[in-house]
Structures are given as structure tokens and as C-alpha cells.
Coordinates of all heavy atoms in Angstrom, one line a residue:
M1 N 73.4 181.8 91.9 CA 73.8 180.7 92.8 C 74.9 179.9 92.1 O 75.7 179.3 92.8 CB 72.6 179.9 93.1 CG 71.7 180.6 94.2 SD 70.3 179.6 94.8 CE 69.1 180.1 93.6
M2 N 74.8 179.8 90.8 CA 75.8 178.9 90.1 C 77.2 179.5 90.3 O 78.1 178.8 90.5 CB 75.4 178.8 88.6 CG 76.2 177.8 87.9 SD 75.7 176.2 88.5 CE 77.3 175.4 88.3
S3 N 77.3 180.9 90.2 CA 78.6 181.5 90.4 C 79.1 181.3 91.8 O 80.3 181.1 92.0 CB 78.5 183.0 90.0 OG 77.7 183.7 90.9
V4 N 78.2 181.2 92.8 CA 78.7 180.9 94.1 C 79.3 179.5 94.2 O 80.3 179.3 94.8 CB 77.5 181.1 95.1 CG1 77.9 180.7 96.5 CG2 77.0 182.6 95.2
V5 N 78.6 178.6 93.6 CA 79.1 177.2 93.6 C 80.4 177.1 92.9 O 81.3 176.5 93.3 CB 78.0 176.2 93.1 CG1 78.6 174.8 92.9 CG2 76.8 176.2 93.9
N6 N 80.4 177.7 91.7 CA 81.6 177.6 90.9 C 82.8 178.2 91.6 O 83.9 177.7 91.5 CB 81.4 178.3 89.5 CG 80.5 177.5 88.6 OD1 80.4 176.3 88.8 ND2 79.9 178.2 87.6
E7 N 82.6 179.4 92.3 CA 83.7 180.0 93.0 C 84.2 179.1 94.1 O 85.4 179.0 94.4 CB 83.2 181.4 93.5 CG 84.3 182.2 94.1 CD 85.3 182.7 93.1 OE1 85.0 182.8 91.9 OE2 86.4 183.1 93.5
Y8 N 83.2 178.5 94.8 CA 83.6 177.6 95.9 C 84.4 176.4 95.4 O 85.5 176.1 96.0 CB 82.3 177.0 96.5 CG 82.4 175.9 97.5 CD1 82.7 176.1 98.8 CD2 82.4 174.6 97.0 CE1 82.8 175.1 99.7 CE2 82.5 173.5 97.9 CZ 82.8 173.8 99.3 OH 82.9 172.8 100.1
L9 N 84.0 175.8 94.3 CA 84.8 174.7 93.7 C 86.2 175.2 93.2 O 87.2 174.5 93.4 CB 84.0 174.0 92.6 CG 82.7 173.3 93.1 CD1 81.9 172.9 92.0 CD2 83.1 172.1 94.0
K10 N 86.2 176.3 92.5 CA 87.4 176.9 92.0 C 88.5 177.1 93.1 O 89.7 176.9 92.9 CB 87.2 178.1 91.2 CG 88.4 178.7 90.5 CD 88.0 180.0 89.7 CE 88.5 181.2 90.5 NZ 88.2 182.4 89.9
N11 N 88.0 177.6 94.2 CA 88.9 177.9 95.3 C 89.3 176.7 96.1 O 90.2 176.8 97.0 CB 88.3 179.0 96.2 CG 88.2 180.3 95.5 OD1 88.9 180.7 94.6 ND2 87.2 181.1 96.0
G12 N 88.7 175.6 95.9 CA 89.0 174.4 96.6 C 88.6 174.4 98.1 O 89.2 173.8 98.9
D13 N 87.5 175.2 98.3 CA 87.0 175.3 99.7 C 86.5 174.0 100.2 O 86.1 173.1 99.4 CB 85.9 176.4 99.8 CG 86.3 177.8 99.5 OD1 87.5 178.1 99.8 OD2 85.5 178.6 99.2
T14 N 86.5 173.8 101.5 CA 86.0 172.6 102.1 C 84.9 172.7 103.0 O 84.4 171.8 103.5 CB 87.2 171.8 102.8 OG1 87.7 172.7 103.8 CG2 88.3 171.5 101.8
D15 N 84.5 174.0 103.3 CA 83.5 174.2 104.3 C 82.1 174.4 103.5 O 81.7 175.5 103.2 CB 83.7 175.5 105.1 CG 82.7 175.7 106.2 OD1 81.7 174.9 106.3 OD2 82.9 176.7 107.0
S16 N 81.5 173.2 103.2 CA 80.3 173.3 102.4 C 79.1 173.8 103.2 O 78.2 174.3 102.7 CB 80.0 171.9 101.8 OG 79.9 170.9 102.8
K17 N 79.2 173.8 104.6 CA 78.2 174.4 105.4 C 78.1 175.9 105.1 O 77.1 176.5 105.0 CB 78.4 174.1 106.9 CG 77.3 174.6 107.7 CD 77.5 174.3 109.2 CE 76.4 174.8 110.0 NZ 76.5 174.5 111.4
K18 N 79.3 176.5 105.0 CA 79.4 177.9 104.7 C 78.8 178.2 103.3 O 78.1 179.2 103.1 CB 80.8 178.4 104.8 CG 81.0 179.9 104.6 CD 82.5 180.3 104.8 CE 82.6 181.8 104.6 NZ 84.0 182.2 104.7
L19 N 79.1 177.3 102.4 CA 78.5 177.4 101.0 C 77.0 177.4 101.1 O 76.3 178.2 100.5 CB 79.1 176.3 100.1 CG 78.4 176.2 98.8 CD1 78.6 177.5 97.9 CD2 78.9 175.0 98.0
G20 N 76.5 176.4 101.9 CA 75.1 176.3 102.1 C 74.4 177.6 102.6 O 73.4 178.0 102.2
E21 N 75.1 178.3 103.5 CA 74.6 179.5 104.1 C 74.6 180.6 103.0 O 73.7 181.4 102.9 CB 75.5 179.9 105.3 CG 75.3 179.0 106.5 CD 76.3 179.2 107.6 OE1 77.2 180.0 107.4 OE2 76.1 178.5 108.6
S22 N 75.7 180.6 102.2 CA 75.7 181.6 101.1 C 74.6 181.3 100.0 O 73.9 182.3 99.6 CB 77.1 181.6 100.4 OG 78.1 182.0 101.2
L23 N 74.4 180.1 99.7 CA 73.3 179.7 98.8 C 72.0 180.1 99.3 O 71.1 180.5 98.6 CB 73.4 178.2 98.4 CG 74.6 177.8 97.5 CD1 74.7 176.3 97.4 CD2 74.5 178.5 96.2
E24 N 71.8 179.9 100.6 CA 70.5 180.2 101.2 C 70.2 181.7 101.1 O 69.1 182.1 100.9 CB 70.4 179.7 102.7 CG 69.1 179.9 103.3 CD 68.9 179.1 104.5 OE1 69.8 178.7 105.2 OE2 67.7 178.8 104.8
R25 N 71.2 182.5 101.3 CA 71.1 184.0 101.2 C 70.7 184.3 99.7 O 69.8 185.1 99.5 CB 72.3 184.7 101.6 CG 72.5 184.9 103.1 CD 73.6 185.8 103.4 NE 75.0 185.4 102.9 CZ 75.8 184.6 103.5 NH1 75.4 184.0 104.6 NH2 76.9 184.2 103.0
E26 N 71.3 183.7 98.8 CA 71.0 183.9 97.4 C 69.6 183.4 97.1 O 68.8 184.1 96.3 CB 72.0 183.2 96.5 CG 73.4 183.8 96.5 CD 73.5 185.2 96.0 OE1 72.8 185.5 95.0 OE2 74.3 185.9 96.6
F27 N 69.2 182.3 97.6 CA 67.9 181.7 97.4 C 66.8 182.7 97.9 O 65.8 183.0 97.2 CB 67.8 180.4 98.1 CG 66.5 179.7 97.9 CD1 66.3 178.8 96.9 CD2 65.5 179.9 98.8 CE1 65.1 178.2 96.7 CE2 64.3 179.2 98.7 CZ 64.1 178.4 97.6
T28 N 67.1 183.2 99.1 CA 66.1 184.2 99.7 C 66.0 185.4 98.8 O 64.9 185.9 98.6 CB 66.6 184.5 101.1 OG1 66.6 183.3 101.9 CG2 65.6 185.5 101.8
T29 N 67.1 185.9 98.3 CA 67.1 187.1 97.4 C 66.3 186.8 96.2 O 65.5 187.7 95.8 CB 68.5 187.5 97.1 OG1 69.2 187.8 98.3 CG2 68.5 188.7 96.1
V30 N 66.4 185.6 95.6 CA 65.7 185.3 94.4 C 64.2 185.3 94.7 O 63.4 185.9 94.0 CB 66.1 183.9 93.9 CG1 65.1 183.4 92.8 CG2 67.5 183.9 93.3
L31 N 63.8 184.7 95.8 CA 62.4 184.7 96.2 C 61.8 186.1 96.4 O 60.7 186.5 96.0 CB 62.1 183.9 97.4 CG 62.3 182.4 97.2 CD1 62.0 181.6 98.5 CD2 61.4 181.9 96.1
K32 N 62.6 187.0 97.1 CA 62.2 188.3 97.4 C 62.0 189.2 96.2 O 61.2 190.1 96.1 CB 63.1 189.0 98.4 CG 63.0 188.5 99.8 CD 64.0 189.2 100.7 CE 63.8 188.7 102.2 NZ 64.8 189.4 103.1
K33 N 62.9 188.9 95.2 CA 62.9 189.8 94.0 C 62.0 189.2 92.9 O 62.0 189.8 91.8 CB 64.3 190.0 93.5 CG 65.1 190.9 94.5 CD 66.5 191.2 93.9 CE 67.2 192.1 94.9 NZ 68.5 192.6 94.3
C34 N 61.4 188.1 93.1 CA 60.6 187.4 92.1 C 59.4 188.3 91.7 O 58.6 188.7 92.5 CB 60.1 186.1 92.6 SG 59.1 185.2 91.3
T35 N 59.4 188.7 90.4 CA 58.3 189.5 89.9 C 57.4 188.7 88.8 O 56.6 189.3 88.2 CB 58.8 190.8 89.3 OG1 59.7 190.5 88.2 CG2 59.5 191.6 90.3
M36 N 57.8 187.5 88.7 CA 57.1 186.7 87.7 C 55.6 186.4 88.1 O 55.4 186.4 89.3 CB 57.8 185.4 87.4 CG 59.2 185.5 86.9 SD 60.1 184.0 86.8 CE 59.4 183.3 85.3
T37 N 54.8 186.2 87.1 CA 53.4 185.8 87.5 C 53.0 184.7 86.6 O 53.7 184.3 85.6 CB 52.5 187.0 87.2 OG1 52.6 187.4 85.8 CG2 52.8 188.2 88.1
G38 N 51.8 184.1 86.9 CA 51.2 183.1 86.1 C 52.0 181.8 86.1 O 52.7 181.4 87.0
E39 N 52.0 181.1 85.0 CA 52.6 179.8 84.8 C 54.1 179.8 85.0 O 54.7 178.9 85.6 CB 52.2 179.1 83.5 CG 52.7 177.7 83.3 CD 52.2 176.7 84.2 OE1 51.1 176.9 84.8 OE2 52.8 175.7 84.4
A40 N 54.7 180.9 84.4 CA 56.2 181.0 84.6 C 56.6 181.1 86.0 O 57.6 180.5 86.5 CB 56.7 182.2 83.8
H41 N 55.8 181.8 86.8 CA 56.1 182.0 88.3 C 55.9 180.6 88.9 O 56.8 180.2 89.7 CB 55.1 182.9 88.9 CG 55.1 183.0 90.3 ND1 56.0 183.8 91.0 CD2 54.3 182.4 91.3 CE1 55.8 183.7 92.3 NE2 54.8 182.9 92.5
E42 N 54.9 179.9 88.6 CA 54.7 178.5 89.2 C 55.8 177.6 88.9 O 56.3 176.8 89.7 CB 53.3 178.0 88.8 CG 52.1 178.7 89.3 CD 52.1 178.9 90.8 OE1 52.4 177.9 91.5 OE2 51.8 180.0 91.3
Q43 N 56.3 177.6 87.6 CA 57.3 176.7 87.2 C 58.7 177.1 87.8 O 59.4 176.2 88.2 CB 57.5 176.7 85.7 CG 56.3 176.1 85.0 CD 56.0 174.7 85.5 OE1 56.9 173.9 85.6 NE2 54.7 174.4 85.7
L44 N 58.9 178.4 88.0 CA 60.1 178.8 88.7 C 60.1 178.2 90.1 O 61.1 177.7 90.6 CB 60.3 180.3 88.7 CG 61.5 180.8 89.5 CD1 62.8 180.3 88.9 CD2 61.5 182.3 89.5
H45 N 59.0 178.4 90.8 CA 58.9 177.9 92.2 C 59.0 176.3 92.2 O 59.6 175.8 93.2 CB 57.7 178.4 92.9 CG 57.9 179.9 93.3 ND1 58.3 180.2 94.5 CD2 57.7 181.0 92.6 CE1 58.4 181.5 94.5 NE2 58.1 182.1 93.4
N46 N 58.5 175.7 91.2 CA 58.6 174.2 91.1 C 60.1 173.8 91.0 O 60.5 172.8 91.5 CB 57.8 173.7 89.9 CG 56.4 173.7 90.2 OD1 55.9 173.7 91.3 ND2 55.6 173.6 89.1
F47 N 60.9 174.7 90.3 CA 62.3 174.4 90.2 C 63.0 174.7 91.5 O 63.9 174.0 91.9 CB 62.9 175.3 89.1 CG 64.4 175.0 88.9 CD1 64.8 174.0 88.1 CD2 65.3 175.9 89.4 CE1 66.2 173.8 87.9 CE2 66.7 175.7 89.2 CZ 67.1 174.6 88.5
L48 N 62.6 175.8 92.2 CA 63.3 176.3 93.4 C 63.1 175.4 94.6 O 64.0 175.3 95.4 CB 62.9 177.7 93.7 CG 63.4 178.8 92.7 CD1 62.9 180.1 93.0 CD2 65.0 178.8 92.6
L49 N 61.9 174.9 94.8 CA 61.6 174.1 96.0 C 62.5 172.9 96.2 O 63.1 172.7 97.3 CB 60.1 173.7 96.0 CG 59.2 174.8 96.2 CD1 57.7 174.3 96.2 CD2 59.4 175.5 97.6
P50 N 62.8 172.1 95.2 CA 63.8 171.0 95.4 C 65.2 171.6 95.7 O 66.0 170.9 96.4 CB 63.8 170.2 94.1 CG 62.4 170.5 93.5 CD 62.1 172.0 93.9
L51 N 65.5 172.7 95.1 CA 66.8 173.3 95.3 C 66.9 173.7 96.8 O 68.0 173.5 97.4 CB 67.0 174.5 94.4 CG 68.3 175.3 94.6 CD1 69.5 174.4 94.4 CD2 68.3 176.5 93.7
K52 N 65.9 174.2 97.4 CA 65.9 174.6 98.8 C 66.2 173.4 99.7 O 67.0 173.4 100.6 CB 64.6 175.2 99.2 CG 64.4 175.5 100.7 CD 65.4 176.6 101.1 CE 65.0 177.1 102.5 NZ 66.0 176.9 103.5
A53 N 65.6 172.2 99.3 CA 65.8 171.0 100.1 C 67.3 170.6 99.9 O 67.9 170.1 100.9 CB 64.9 169.9 99.6
K54 N 67.9 170.8 98.8 CA 69.3 170.4 98.5 C 70.2 171.3 99.3 O 71.2 170.9 99.9 CB 69.6 170.4 97.1 CG 68.9 169.4 96.2 CD 69.2 169.5 94.8 CE 68.4 168.6 93.9 NZ 68.2 167.3 94.3
I55 N 69.9 172.6 99.4 CA 70.7 173.6 100.2 C 70.6 173.2 101.7 O 71.6 173.2 102.4 CB 70.2 175.0 99.9 CG1 70.5 175.4 98.5 CG2 70.8 176.0 100.9 CD1 69.9 176.7 98.0
D56 N 69.4 172.9 102.2 CA 69.2 172.5 103.6 C 70.0 171.2 103.9 O 70.7 171.2 104.9 CB 67.8 172.3 103.9 CG 66.9 173.5 103.9 OD1 67.5 174.7 104.0 OD2 65.7 173.5 103.8
K57 N 70.0 170.3 103.0 CA 70.8 169.1 103.1 C 72.3 169.4 103.2 O 73.0 168.8 104.0 CB 70.5 168.1 102.0 CG 71.3 166.8 102.1 CD 71.0 165.9 100.9 CE 71.9 164.7 100.8 NZ 71.7 163.9 99.6
L58 N 72.7 170.3 102.3 CA 74.1 170.6 102.3 C 74.6 171.2 103.7 O 75.6 170.9 104.2 CB 74.4 171.7 101.2 CG 75.8 172.3 101.1 CD1 76.8 171.2 100.8 CD2 75.8 173.4 100.1
K59 N 73.7 172.1 104.2 CA 74.1 172.7 105.5 C 74.1 171.7 106.6 O 74.9 171.9 107.5 CB 73.0 173.8 105.8 CG 73.2 175.0 104.9 CD 72.1 176.1 105.0 CE 71.6 176.3 106.4 NZ 70.5 177.2 106.6
E60 N 73.3 170.7 106.5 CA 73.2 169.7 107.6 C 74.4 168.7 107.5 O 75.0 168.2 108.4 CB 71.9 168.9 107.5 CG 70.7 169.8 107.9 CD 69.4 169.1 107.7 OE1 69.4 167.8 107.3 OE2 68.4 169.7 107.7
T61 N 74.7 168.2 106.2 CA 75.7 167.2 106.0 C 77.1 167.6 105.8 O 78.0 166.9 106.1 CB 75.3 166.3 104.8 OG1 75.3 167.1 103.6 CG2 73.9 165.7 105.0
N62 N 77.3 168.8 105.3 CA 78.6 169.4 105.1 C 79.5 168.4 104.3 O 80.5 168.0 104.8 CB 79.2 169.8 106.5 CG 80.5 170.6 106.3 OD1 80.6 171.4 105.3 ND2 81.4 170.5 107.2
N63 N 79.0 168.0 103.1 CA 79.8 167.1 102.3 C 79.8 167.5 100.8 O 78.9 168.2 100.3 CB 79.4 165.7 102.5 CG 78.1 165.4 101.9 OD1 77.8 165.6 100.7 ND2 77.1 164.8 102.6
V64 N 80.9 167.1 100.2 CA 81.1 167.5 98.8 C 80.1 166.9 97.8 O 79.8 167.4 96.8 CB 82.6 167.2 98.4 CG1 82.8 165.7 98.2 CG2 82.9 168.0 97.1
E65 N 79.5 165.7 98.2 CA 78.5 165.1 97.3 C 77.3 166.0 97.2 O 76.7 166.1 96.1 CB 78.2 163.7 97.9 CG 79.3 162.7 97.8 CD 79.0 161.4 98.5 OE1 77.9 161.3 99.1 OE2 79.9 160.6 98.6
S66 N 76.9 166.7 98.3 CA 75.8 167.6 98.2 C 76.1 168.8 97.3 O 75.3 169.3 96.6 CB 75.4 168.0 99.6 OG 74.9 167.0 100.4
V67 N 77.4 169.2 97.4 CA 77.8 170.3 96.5 C 77.7 169.9 95.0 O 77.1 170.7 94.2 CB 79.3 170.8 96.8 CG1 79.7 171.8 95.8 CG2 79.4 171.3 98.2
N68 N 78.1 168.8 94.7 CA 78.0 168.3 93.3 C 76.6 168.1 92.9 O 76.2 168.4 91.8 CB 78.8 166.9 93.2 CG 80.2 167.1 93.3 OD1 80.8 168.2 93.1 ND2 80.9 166.0 93.8
E69 N 75.7 167.7 93.8 CA 74.3 167.5 93.5 C 73.7 168.9 93.2 O 72.9 169.0 92.3 CB 73.6 166.9 94.7 CG 72.2 166.5 94.5 CD 71.5 165.8 95.7 OE1 72.3 165.2 96.5 OE2 70.3 165.9 95.8
I70 N 74.0 169.9 94.0 CA 73.5 171.2 93.7 C 74.0 171.8 92.4 O 73.3 172.4 91.6 CB 73.8 172.2 94.9 CG1 73.0 171.8 96.1 CG2 73.6 173.6 94.6 CD1 73.4 172.5 97.4
Q71 N 75.3 171.6 92.1 CA 75.9 172.1 90.9 C 75.2 171.4 89.7 O 74.8 172.1 88.7 CB 77.4 171.8 90.8 CG 78.0 172.3 89.6 CD 79.5 171.9 89.5 OE1 79.9 170.8 89.8 NE2 80.3 172.8 89.0
T72 N 74.9 170.2 89.7 CA 74.2 169.5 88.7 C 72.8 170.0 88.5 O 72.4 170.3 87.4 CB 74.2 167.9 88.9 OG1 75.5 167.5 89.0 CG2 73.4 167.2 87.9
Y73 N 72.1 170.2 89.6 CA 70.8 170.7 89.6 C 70.7 172.1 89.0 O 69.9 172.4 88.1 CB 70.2 170.7 91.0 CG 68.7 171.0 91.0 CD1 67.8 169.9 90.7 CD2 68.2 172.2 91.2 CE1 66.4 170.1 90.7 CE2 66.8 172.4 91.2 CZ 65.9 171.4 91.0 OH 64.6 171.6 91.0
L74 N 71.6 173.0 89.4 CA 71.6 174.3 88.9 C 72.0 174.4 87.4 O 71.5 175.2 86.6 CB 72.6 175.2 89.7 CG 72.2 175.6 91.1 CD1 73.3 176.2 91.8 CD2 71.0 176.5 91.1
N75 N 72.9 173.4 87.0 CA 73.2 173.4 85.5 C 72.0 173.1 84.7 O 72.0 173.4 83.5 CB 74.3 172.3 85.3 CG 75.7 172.8 85.7 OD1 75.9 174.0 85.6 ND2 76.6 171.9 86.0
N76 N 71.0 172.4 85.2 CA 69.8 172.1 84.5 C 68.8 173.3 84.3 O 67.8 173.2 83.6 CB 69.1 170.9 85.1 CG 69.8 169.6 84.9 OD1 70.2 169.4 83.7 ND2 69.9 168.8 85.9
Y77 N 69.1 174.4 85.0 CA 68.2 175.5 85.0 C 67.9 176.0 83.5 O 66.7 176.2 83.2 CB 68.8 176.7 85.7 CG 68.0 178.0 85.7 CD1 66.9 178.2 86.5 CD2 68.3 178.9 84.7 CE1 66.2 179.3 86.5 CE2 67.5 180.1 84.6 CZ 66.4 180.3 85.5 OH 65.7 181.4 85.4
N78 N 68.9 176.0 82.7 CA 68.7 176.5 81.3 C 67.9 175.5 80.5 O 67.5 175.9 79.4 CB 70.1 176.8 80.7 CG 70.7 178.1 81.2 OD1 69.9 179.0 81.6 ND2 72.0 178.1 81.3
N79 N 67.8 174.3 80.9 CA 67.0 173.3 80.2 C 65.5 173.7 80.3 O 64.7 173.2 79.5 CB 67.2 171.9 80.7 CG 68.6 171.4 80.4 OD1 69.2 171.9 79.5 ND2 69.1 170.5 81.2
Y80 N 65.1 174.4 81.4 CA 63.7 174.7 81.7 C 63.4 176.2 81.4 O 62.2 176.5 81.2 CB 63.4 174.4 83.1 CG 63.7 172.9 83.4 CD1 64.8 172.5 84.2 CD2 62.8 171.9 83.0 CE1 65.0 171.2 84.5 CE2 63.1 170.6 83.3 CZ 64.2 170.3 84.0 OH 64.4 168.9 84.3
F81 N 64.4 177.1 81.5 CA 64.1 178.5 81.4 C 65.1 179.2 80.5 O 66.2 178.8 80.4 CB 64.2 179.2 82.8 CG 63.3 178.6 83.9 CD1 63.8 177.6 84.7 CD2 62.0 179.0 84.0 CE1 63.0 177.1 85.7 CE2 61.2 178.4 84.9 CZ 61.6 177.5 85.8
E82 N 64.6 180.2 79.8 CA 65.5 180.9 78.9 C 66.1 182.1 79.6 O 65.6 182.7 80.5 CB 64.7 181.4 77.7 CG 64.3 180.2 76.9 CD 63.5 180.6 75.6 OE1 63.4 181.8 75.3 OE2 62.9 179.7 75.0

């Protein structure tokens, strides 16, 4: 998802609703392919649930502030997972 956001910003795109749709597809793929179990699984989902809300907000508001919020949130992934 980070590469999707980075590509969007690099290209200077302005349709953040379209970005939100791309991120939602990626989000769904992550959930479908999740094979984690136990505490790690729970913590990943704890990280993903707020991200889903941010993606939904992006699709509704279509603004760059939401893009920046998602980028910042995704940048924090490595602070919680290796």
C-alpha cells in the first residue's frame, strides 16, 4: 500500500478517490492472504482497522490531507512489525 501512495504522490495525481479505491483493493488482498495466527494476527488487525477507516475517509472526502494522513500511518508500520 505504501508503494501505491508513493506512486500517487510521485506522479502528482489529484484524484485521491481513485487512490482510495486502489488502496481498498490492496487492503482486501492483505486480509484475504493473511496467514498469521495468535497475537501477531490480532496486532496486525489492530493496525489495519484504523487504516480502513482512513481509506474510507479518503474515498469520501477526496482530499490531499487524507492522503498525507494515510502516508504517515503506513510509515509507522515498521515501528510495530518487522
Side-chain angles (χ1 to χ4, degrees):
M1 283 186 268
M2 193 65 213
S3 63
V4 172
V5 172
N6 288 339
E7 190 69 22
Y8 170 87
L9 293 171
K10 183 177 104 178
N11 291 334
D13 291 337
T14 58
D15 187 355
S16 56
K17 184 176 180 180
K18 185 176 176 181
L19 171 64
E21 292 167 357
S22 295
L23 289 172
E24 186 161 24
R25 281 191 298 277
E26 293 293 324
F27 183 89
T28 300
T29 299
V30 168
L31 289 181
K32 285 181 180 179
K33 292 185 176 188
C34 182
T35 59
M36 298 172 80
T37 59
E39 183 63 21
H41 172 82
E42 295 303 317
Q43 292 305 317
L44 177 61
H45 284 267
N46 287 338
F47 181 82
L48 291 175
L49 289 178
L51 178 58
K52 175 67 168 121
K54 293 176 188 318
I55 292 169
D56 290 343
K57 178 182 172 187
L58 175 65
K59 288 172 40 183
E60 292 171 10
T61 61
N62 194 30
N63 71 52
V64 72
E65 292 169 4
S66 294
V67 175
N68 293 335
E69 186 178 336
I70 289 171
Q71 182 184 39
T72 299
Y73 192 81
L74 288 171
N75 280 334
N76 285 315
Y77 176 85
N78 289 328
N79 293 336
Y80 301 106
F81 304 96
E82 294 180 8

